[in-house]
Amino acid sequence: MDDYTWKKTIRRRRIHRNRQVFGLVVLFIITALAGTIWYFYNQRHSPEYALKEIQTAVEKQDADAFRHYVNLDLLTSRAYDDLTADLFSYDATLTAATKASYEKFYIMVKPQLTNGTEDTILRRVSSGSWTMPEGTDILKGRQLGIDYERFLERTQMRHTSFVSFGKITRDGTTATAEMTVKDDDTQTEFTLELAMEQAADGHWQVTYLKNYRAYLDAVTPLHNNDIAQYIDSTKDIISAYNEKFTAYKQRFTALSSTGPGSFTAAQKQGLTALLQQEVIPALQERQQKLDEIDIPSGARYLADQRQQSTELTIEAWQHFLQGLADDNPDEFAKGESLHKEALARDLRVDDIIRHTAVSRNIPNLP
């Protein structure tokens, strides 16, 4: 083989070898790229990814992302059924017939309450704090026999903290994820089971809590025990001051028979003395004595409601006193409004003590 032919042969072999190497490199890149795409696709379409995105949504206060990975409509609907069943199980004051009527009532108001709860959850995600929903009449006070503030308290949402995610068991397009939570009041840990489903576009959602009723059954008795202990510790204080306030109310009624705007000078003087020298000091004194009582952690909500009632009542009387001094109807109106708020707290306290499922002011049902 002459020199020219040899060089030509070597050049062909080098070109062929380079083509082989290039082909292998391209194949490797395509394989790696395909593997990466497959990995990220499957990661983004997995229960684990959805749970991480829910955590991130809460941390970044992204309500839209939270809603994308949590089916709030189904979750609140199922939780509502569990909660109302739990409420009735602890209300020993209901007869069978009354319970049946109340159950019918809860079914009737379910859409308003679940919608309000969805709004409350999304507000918590977007703002980082719990606030009451707005724009829904049924959720304001007790218009239909529902005290939504207490209803929300009984869900335990506001006092339940996330601890960690655990095992995830997947079965096709459904899965169950374990989530450990803690009841902040009693420091009780519990493992919730999250039902998850894969949506049509491939992403996963939390759809409902499989054992939410079991969680309520675990922590509610602990709260009730603390409440019972607190009630027993404070009953003598409450009883003694209730007698005083009953007597004050009778005297106030006798002194104010003509009503605001037409008080005589003697009436103003008598009412001012009664409120400044007796009623307000008695309210302050009672609260001071209550503050000296150790409050079990599960009874903190009850103690807070009592304190809020006292503060609102004192503020209401102060506006009334200002109205007396200035003959100012606006001050009387402010006082009346605050008294209504204080009354709502008092009714809530009574419901908590009696473990009632519904307000005692529930309307007549058809």
Side-chain angles (χ1 to χ4, degrees), residues 202-217:
H203 86 279
W204 285 77
Q205 285 187 315
V206 172
T207 51
Y208 62 92
L209 307 178
K210 288 187 173 182
N211 60 340
Y212 177 54
R213 173 72 187 276
Y215 175 57
L216 295 174
D217 287 340

Side-chain angles (χ1 to χ4, degrees), residues 12 35 86 88 96 107 118 127 143 219 222 246-247 267 275 333 356:
R12 282 202 307 268
D86 192 71
F88 286 117
I107 292 172
E118 285 187 41
S127 69
Q143 280 85 340
V219 300
L222 301 178
T246 298
Q267 284 179 307
L275 294 175
T356 53

Side-chain angles (χ1 to χ4, degrees), residues 109-137:
V109 300
K110 179 178 178 178
Q112 293 95 326
L113 288 170
T114 53
N115 289 340
T117 302
E118 285 187 41
D119 181 53
T120 300
I121 292 171
L122 291 174
R123 283 171 176 270
R124 167 63 178 85
V125 174
S126 62
S127 69
S129 60
W130 292 103
T131 57
M132 293 287 284
E134 297 176 352
T136 307
D137 289 340

Side-chain angles (χ1 to χ4, degrees), residues 295-310:
I295 304 171
S297 56
R300 169 53 61 185
Y301 182 71
L302 172 57
D304 287 345
Q305 293 302 307
R306 278 179 170 170
Q307 182 178 9
Q308 290 175 25
S309 173
T310 299

Side-chain angles (χ1 to χ4, degrees), residues 150-181:
R150 182 171 174 246
F151 180 87
L152 187 61
E153 180 69 15
R154 290 292 294 270
T155 67
Q156 300 297 336
M157 287 192 303
R158 297 185 296 189
H159 309 292
T160 297
S161 297
F162 168 77
V163 177
S164 64
F165 287 118
K167 182 176 67 174
I168 298 175
T169 305
R170 182 171 174 176
D171 182 13
T173 58
T174 65
T176 300
E178 295 181 351
M179 181 176 73
T180 301
V181 296

Side-chain angles (χ1 to χ4, degrees), residues 64-313:
D64 290 336
F66 184 85
R67 180 181 278 281
H68 184 66
Y69 290 101
V70 178
N71 186 335
L72 279 175
D73 293 340
L74 181 57
L75 187 146
T76 55
S77 177
R78 293 285 295 264
Y80 180 89
D81 295 339
D82 286 338
L83 175 61
T84 52
D86 192 71
L87 290 175
F88 286 117
S89 70
Y90 286 96
D91 191 343
T93 67
L94 302 177
T95 64
T98 304
K99 181 179 179 181
S101 295
Y102 285 169
E103 288 173 340
K104 179 181 178 181
F105 169 73
Y106 266 112
I107 292 172
M108 180 179 70
V109 300
K110 179 178 178 178
Q112 293 95 326
L113 288 170
T114 53
N115 289 340
T117 302
E118 285 187 41
D119 181 53
T120 300
I121 292 171
L122 291 174
R123 283 171 176 270
R124 167 63 178 85
V125 174
S126 62
S127 69
S129 60
W130 292 103
T131 57
M132 293 287 284
E134 297 176 352
T136 307
D137 289 340
I138 193 173
L139 305 181
K140 296 178 181 178
R142 296 166 174 254
Q143 280 85 340
L144 287 181
I146 290 291
D147 177 3
Y148 184 71
E149 161 59 31
R150 182 171 174 246
F151 180 87
L152 187 61
E153 180 69 15
R154 290 292 294 270
T155 67
Q156 300 297 336
M157 287 192 303
R158 297 185 296 189
H159 309 292
T160 297
S161 297
F162 168 77
V163 177
S164 64
F165 287 118
K167 182 176 67 174
I168 298 175
T169 305
R170 182 171 174 176
D171 182 13
T173 58
T174 65
T176 300
E178 295 181 351
M179 181 176 73
T180 301
V181 296
K182 181 176 66 176
D183 172 39
D184 297 331
D185 290 332
T186 63
Q187 298 298 299
T188 302
E189 289 197 356
F190 188 89
T191 300
L192 286 170
E193 296 176 355
L194 311 182
M196 302 185 71
E197 293 182 5
Q198 191 170 24
D201 65 356
H203 86 279
W204 285 77
Q205 285 187 315
V206 172
T207 51
Y208 62 92
L209 307 178
K210 288 187 173 182
N211 60 340
Y212 177 54
R213 173 72 187 276
Y215 175 57
L216 295 174
D217 287 340
V219 300
T220 299
L222 301 178
H223 283 255
N224 288 345
N225 288 338
D226 283 356
I227 289 170
Q229 180 182 336
Y230 176 70
I231 292 170
D232 186 64
S233 299
T234 59
K235 64 181 181 181
D236 290 341
I237 298 172
I238 298 299
S239 178
Y241 280 89
N242 279 349
E243 291 182 12
K244 287 187 177 184
F245 294 134
T246 298
Y248 293 151
K249 182 177 180 179
Q250 293 172 349
R251 290 167 58 190
F252 180 87
T253 300
L255 285 168
S256 61
S257 58
T258 56
S262 57
F263 290 134
T264 66
Q267 284 179 307
K268 290 182 180 181
Q269 184 178 5
L271 288 169
T272 300
L274 175 63
L275 294 175
Q276 288 184 338
Q277 298 173 21
E278 298 185 67
V279 175
I280 292 177
L283 287 165
Q284 293 170 332
E285 184 179 79
R286 184 187 65 172
Q287 188 58 48
Q288 182 179 355
K289 290 185 178 181
L290 289 174
D291 291 342
E292 294 170 357
I293 301 295
D294 289 333
I295 304 171
S297 56
R300 169 53 61 185
Y301 182 71
L302 172 57
D304 287 345
Q305 293 302 307
R306 278 179 170 170
Q307 182 178 9
Q308 290 175 25
S309 173
T310 299
E311 292 172 351
L312 287 167
T313 302

